[in-house]
Amino acid sequence: MRRIYAVTLSARFPVSAALLRRLALASIVANVGIVATGGLVRLTASGLGCPTWPRCTDESYVNTPEMGIHGLIEFGNRLLTFGVGAIALAVVVAVLLHRPRRPGLLPLAVGVLAGIPAQAVIGGITVLTDLNPWVVGLHFLASMVVIAVAYALWRRIIDPDGPVVPMVPGPLRTLARLTTVVSASVLVVGTWVTGSGPHAGDHGAARNGLDPEAISQVHADGVFLLLGLSVALVFAFRAVGARRATRAAVVLVAVELGQGVIGFVQYLTDLPALLVGAHMVGSCLVLLATLGMLWSTRERRPAPPASDQTAPVEPAAPTAPPVPVSA
């Protein structure tokens, strides 16, 4: 009965592949956008603009005029969570209505949707712990996980449903995975740098106790390692003739260089809020460029026609033994 109802709905409200791709891309953009607005909350010291959670005050779910601009900024960021969740829900519904049903899409779409309330809960914990810097860092990293799953969903939608074929030799795939791990570690250490710096989200919030100069140096060392690995990938992919992978690696290097310039300038200019916000968005772009490079090392081929998969293979006709030729 459920199957008949689902088929009826999909026939009445058809979802094209193009619409599915656009919704998945909108989900990526929305999740990057909420990272940017979350940065606005922290950089304007509005992290406790709503001093409790899930309410904004003990008596109200919304901000009040007495809370001023900080309450408005914090509550506005909370409202955006519903918008991001609505897009994620639309993607799930579109996946269910799309025909023919695509394998592997639904778990990824549900994963993105489930990540939105999980993010909201972590955000609530940051407020209830008075912006504990370690929890704030976890909040940012959870956003990175949701963005990564959203990207995987988008790529799965645009790729065909056939088998995965490697496009570069095994050692280069290993190098690409290592670069991805280093990229993720740079993001993690970046949250430690932020937790030691001045932008706590509120003037009374605690810091993580790490030496800002020392942990910034560790972060910079990781960036140099990541950049070196990425440049190596450009030359290695080019040497084996993997054009698509080479382009993806070049994009990754370009994004890393841009992010590195912003990072060094903000460090040398005492961390102005505008550059710190740009650096947060740049972290999302580094993640997406890293994933794009990783995906470029493999390719999904179109699935063979059903007739080719089910047609019986006829045994070859026996060949007659050779006739000896007498002299």
Side-chain angles (χ1 to χ4, degrees), residues 171-186 220-238 245-246 248-250 252-254 256-257 290 293-294 297:
L172 293 188
R173 296 199 302 275
T174 301
L175 182 59
R177 296 187 189 103
L178 175 61
T179 303
T180 303
V181 172
V182 173
S183 181
S185 68
V186 167
D221 292 341
V223 170
F224 284 127
L225 175 59
L226 175 60
L227 183 59
L229 290 171
S230 302
V231 171
L233 284 173
V234 171
F235 288 100
F237 289 156
R238 184 176 180 182
T246 302
V250 168
L252 176 58
V253 170
E256 289 169 352
L257 288 174
T290 302
M293 177 276 300
L294 185 63
T297 63

Side-chain angles (χ1 to χ4, degrees), residues 37 40-41 44 46 63 68-78:
T37 59
L40 177 65
V41 170
T44 57
S46 302
N63 63 303
I69 187 64
H70 295 305
L72 181 63
I73 292 174
E74 165 64 10
F75 181 69
N77 188 62
R78 293 187 183 189

